[in-house]
Structures are given as C-alpha cells and as structure tokens.
Amino acid sequence: MAAVALRLPALLAPRHLTFDDGQYGVVVLGLRAGDLPFRDLFSSQGPLYYPLLAVADVVGLRTLDGPRLLPVAAGMVATVATYAIARHLGTRSAAILAAVLVATSGSLLYVTGPLSGDGPALALALVAIVLALRHRARPSSARAVAVGLAMGAAICVKLIVVPAAIPIGILMTGIGPSGNGLTGTGSSRWVPTRAGLRALGTSVAAAVAVLVAAVLPWGPERVWDQSVAYHQDSERLRGFGGNFTTLVQTLAERDPFLVLALLAGLGAIVWRAIRGGPSTIVVATPSSPEAGEVPRALARWIVLPWLALQVVFLVIEPTMWRPHIAQVVAPLALATVLLGVPAWRLVVAVCVVLTPWWFHNTSDIVWPDAYPAAEAAIVERLRALPAGAMVISDDPGFAWRAERRVPPNFVDVSMKRFQQGQLTAAVVGRAAADAEVCAVLVLSPARLGSLPDLHRRLRAAGYEVASRSAGTSERVLYERTECDPPRS
C-alpha cells in the first residue's frame, strides 16, 4: 500500500511529469484513434509496450490519467516481487528492508509514476525471478512455462532487462553452489542436470513464443528497425566514465536510503573483520517453507552477476538516461539481504535525517505542482484549437494534456531521431502542411529548434507566430487558420 500511496500524486498529476510521460500519453491518444504501433506510431520500445498501454487505457476508463495505472501497478508489483525474492534469500526483516528500499526508490518513482517502459519491464522481470525461485523449490513444466512467459514479456517491453535472465538461468538449470542455507556449506555443481536443461528449454521456448506473438502483428523488420537498430545507431551522449558517474550521482540523489543501507551493511562487515569476527554476515534461513531452499552461497550467484551485468549494460549504453538507472535498484536492494540488516534504530534515524534530501530530489514526482502560468497558457491555447486538430511539438506532453493528437510519426520526437535524420525541417514541414495539423509548438533548441529552415517552411504552409515566450529556452507556438481537421 505504501508503494501505491507514494505514486498516487503522480497518477493524478495535472501535468506531464517527464518527457516520456508526455510522449506515451500522445501514443495512447493515437491508439484510441486506431493508429497501430510500428506501422503508424513510431515505436522505440519493445513490441509489447504499446499494447500494455492500450490495456491500461481501457482499465482506466479512457480518462486522461488512466494509462498511468500501468506504471503505478508496476511499482506495486516490483515492490512485492522484491520482497518475495528476498524471502527466498534471507530473513523476513531483510526482505522488508529490501521491499521498502524499492518502494521508496526515487529512481523507480520516476518510471513507476509517470508513463515509462522501464517500470513495467522491470516488474515483469522480477516476477519471472520469483517464478524461477518457486520452480527451483518445486519443479514443474507449468512453472517453467510461466517463467518464460514473464521474462519474454519483460524483454518485449524493454530489452534493457536482459541481465535478469542470469539468475533465472542459474535457478532453472540447478548449476551453482548448493548446500545448507544456514552455513553455506556444500558442493558446487557447474554441470546442469538433464531435468534442469529441459526446464530451461521450456522457459526459453515460452519466451520465444511471447516474442513471436508480440512481433508478428507489426512485422519483424519494422520492430527491428524502430526498437533495436534505432537505439544501436544513436550517438553516444557521454563516455563510459561519464555514464558510471551519472549512475552513482543519480543513486546518491534519488536513492539515499538505498545507498545508506548498502554502506551500513558493508561497514558492519568491515567492523566485524576488524574485531576478528566473521567477515560475512550469516543469512539465516527463513521459516517460510518455500524460502528455505536457497543457500547463502547460491544467493550471491543469483544477485551479484545480475547486478554486475546490469551496471555494465548501463555504462556501455550510448544514450543512457537517468530513468534507465531504475534497473539497478532491485538487485542493489537484494544485495542488502546478502549484507544483512544493520541496527534498525540507527538506519531509521539516519533515514529520517536523509528524508529532506530525498524529497528535494524527487518532489516533482512525489508531490508534483500544476503547470506554471506560461505553460498552462500553452495548454489552454492548444485546447482552444478546432475540434480534431492535430499538433506537432518537440515536447508532446503539452499536446497530451490538451487532449490533442500528434501525427503518428511524431509521437517520439527524442533527440536521437533528429540526430539520425529521421526528423528534418523537410519532414516536419510536410507533416505540418497536412490539413489536420493546426499548430506547431517549438520548445527545445535541441529538437525542433535545431532546424534552421523550419520557420520558413511553416510560413510557406500558412503558419503565423501565435505566441512567443522565454523560459529555459524560447517557446514559439505557430498556428494557422486554414487547417481543416475532421469533425468527429
């Protein structure tokens, strides 16, 4: 319930909260009008994400904020799934701590409040790991299929969750350390059993079936070009060191509670080593029958390689944005289970001290304001356009909040599309000349503002400057009276 309560302000926010929030908001408006992913709507996410948005829109009764039910549900599922995984690895207290760290994670709040593909993908991957743990305790073909369906769905939402397949592979095949959960003693088995290989094959087949079912309706070539090749061809924003620095800085700003818990656990290990005690914390086996199946040594192999590969994925990603960092939150929270729960009173006291810092860096999600006057005026101006009018904008959120569709090719106006030459002054000019388009909103000097010939082309298509205002960058709204949108 706490995970949902933290996300309610974002669910009901009267503005778009992030660039992605607005982008996927206009996607939903296009889906309502019958536009199809990959064929009409440019789709940079996996082939399952837009269909999930459509389902959330129906569940949300086609209200403006209804699609946000998807990320909010993802935040709740990620929290519960983290607790379930942690209960297989450690004590109830450790599992509660891991779940609380995920529920309050600022990095996760930014992708499980506003619309985003990162949150739903992570939630599905965590569910797949929970199912794999249950399969390990009580193997069955049905559980193996369920693991594959969940992981396949996660990958079909966003490829960034692929590292979560590592713990799944270890659990399904039975490789890795085995032994007593209290002492970690036992043997290491690095050759998978035949039953384990069959179970893994069943899971892989189920995942492939999900992929095929998600891709075929839109066409494999379109899906590849828009959701894979498009990202591979992106210009690098920063070097490997810059990505790692951004990762650490984001965690320090948005996840101080998580950073504190990790440092406290590591500090406790160092302190015990200095005092001559055991260098690692003995993770007590929980009393839950399904949770006592994972020995301490195996727990490390479930969490640490997953965490390491996820960090590598982020560091080498050409266009790593801060929302992507949410993918390391769950494995980091589970790492606290391996370290053990430090003194609760000390942790709670320090967390209280850190709360103002956490709120300072997450307040626009935890307690979002309405639009400032200048931005609210833009939304009202777009809302006053003729019925059925479309809008082109390099921040589609304003069109979404005005309940105005954008041309299908312009639901994604990220910088990568400008850098790759997919959105040029000529492309924008032709789209703006369509009879259904009545306004063009230029907000970003890195997007529409980077097209020097755009103003001339818009004037030639009958547009005039309707408003111009200064903010972090100049905002220019072009309108024309000769547009002829369909009246429906």
Side-chain angles (χ1 to χ4, degrees):
M1 294 303 295
V4 175
L6 279 173
R7 289 158 176 81
L8 282 179
L11 172 66
L12 303 174
R15 57 175 296 170
H16 69 288
L17 299 173
T18 63
F19 182 83
D20 284 355
D21 195 33
Q23 173 178 318
Y24 300 129
V26 293
V27 164
V28 171
L29 297 182
L31 293 172
R32 289 181 189 175
D35 294 335
L36 297 176
F38 298 101
R39 296 184 181 182
D40 304 310
L41 301 165
F42 186 87
S43 307
S44 60
Q45 302 298 292
L48 193 58
Y49 182 52
Y50 285 7
L52 286 178
L53 283 177
V55 171
D57 187 38
V58 172
V59 174
L61 305 179
R62 296 188 180 273
T63 57
L64 195 58
D65 297 325
R68 284 177 173 158
L69 289 174
L70 175 63
V72 170
M76 179 183 66
V77 170
T79 300
V80 174
T82 299
Y83 175 84
I85 295 169
R87 281 297 277 139
H88 285 78
L89 307 182
T91 64
R92 184 172 183 271
S93 295
I96 291 174
L97 175 61
V100 169
L101 293 174
V102 167
T104 60
S105 163
S107 295
L108 262 179
L109 283 169
Y110 274 86
V111 297
T112 55
L115 293 170
S116 171
D118 291 88
L122 176 62
L124 286 166
L126 292 173
V127 168
I129 296 173
V130 173
L131 294 171
L133 284 161
R134 294 186 180 277
H135 172 84
R136 183 185 183 278
R138 291 186 295 274
S140 75
S141 297
R143 291 190 180 90
V145 170
V147 170
L149 293 177
M151 193 62 204
I155 293 172
C156 285
V157 172
K158 195 148 190 169
L159 281 171
I160 199 171
V161 299
V162 164
I166 291 178
I168 292 173
I170 291 173
L171 291 165
M172 299 299 291
T173 58
I175 64 173
S178 61
N180 182 271
L182 288 171
T183 65
T185 59
S187 61
S188 295
R189 182 177 61 246
W190 298 107
V191 178
T193 64
R194 289 184 178 181
L197 288 175
R198 284 197 300 270
L200 180 62
T202 300
S203 294
V204 171
V208 170
V210 173
L211 178 63
V212 171
V215 168
L216 283 183
W218 323 121
E221 185 177 356
R222 294 191 190 95
V223 173
W224 176 265
D225 288 343
Q226 295 181 35
S227 65
V228 180
Y230 165 67
H231 297 288
Q232 293 176 336
D233 295 338
S234 300
E235 295 181 14
R236 177 165 287 281
L237 290 177
R238 59 184 81 85
F240 298 156
N243 276 358
F244 185 76
T245 300
T246 300
L247 169 65
V248 173
Q249 179 182 349
T250 301
L251 290 173
E253 292 175 354
R254 296 180 175 180
D255 296 283
F257 308 136
L258 177 58
V259 173
L260 165 69
L262 290 167
L263 292 177
L266 291 171
I269 291 176
V270 172
W271 176 251
R272 274 191 298 277
I274 293 174
R275 294 285 299 271
S279 59
T280 59
I281 292 176
V282 176
V283 180
T285 303
S287 58
S288 173
E290 72 266 13
E293 298 294 331
V294 178
R296 177 163 52 91
L298 178 56
R300 298 193 193 104
W301 282 95
I302 292 173
V303 176
L304 299 182
W306 169 25
L307 172 60
L309 185 58
Q310 193 68 71
V311 170
V312 170
F313 257 54
L314 294 176
V315 168
I316 66 175
E317 169 65 30
T319 53
M320 187 197 77
W321 300 102
R322 297 184 86 184
H324 297 158
I325 294 168
Q327 301 301 327
V328 301
V329 169
L332 281 174
L334 292 169
T336 66
V337 178
L338 307 183
L339 296 173
V341 180
W344 276 101
R345 291 180 181 178
L346 176 62
V347 171
V348 172
V350 178
C351 283
V352 169
V353 173
L354 289 177
T355 296
W357 172 253
W358 171 82
F359 184 76
H360 171 73
N361 289 292
T362 61
S363 58
D364 51 344
I365 298 295
V366 176
W367 199 256
D369 295 327
Y371 281 119
E375 295 182 355
I378 291 174
V379 174
E380 289 304 316
R381 188 92 187 214
L382 296 180
R383 192 173 284 133
L385 292 172
M390 284 190 180
V391 174
I392 294 175
S393 173
D394 50 17
D395 188 343
F398 291 100
W400 175 43
R401 299 316 293 185
E403 299 190 70
R404 295 295 181 188
R405 290 174 57 210
V406 303
N409 189 39
F410 289 83
V411 293
D412 187 325
V413 286
S414 57
M415 286 191 295
K416 290 187 284 189
R417 299 199 68 203
F418 289 91
Q419 293 167 353
Q420 295 178 25
Q422 296 184 21
L423 297 179
T424 63
V427 171
V428 177
R430 285 194 297 270
D434 188 279
E436 297 184 42
V437 179
C438 297
V440 177
L441 177 60
V442 181
L443 298 167
S444 170
R447 297 184 178 93
L448 291 179
S450 69
L451 307 177
D453 195 38
L454 181 60
H455 177 78
R456 181 188 65 80
R457 290 178 179 273
L458 293 178
R459 292 294 297 267
Y463 287 87
E464 299 290 341
V465 174
S467 68
R468 187 188 300 268
S469 61
T472 53
S473 59
E474 187 179 50
R475 301 183 177 103
V476 183
L477 176 63
Y478 296 88
E479 292 182 15
R480 63 173 177 169
T481 57
E482 298 176 358
C483 62
D484 187 24
R487 268 54 171 186
S488 57

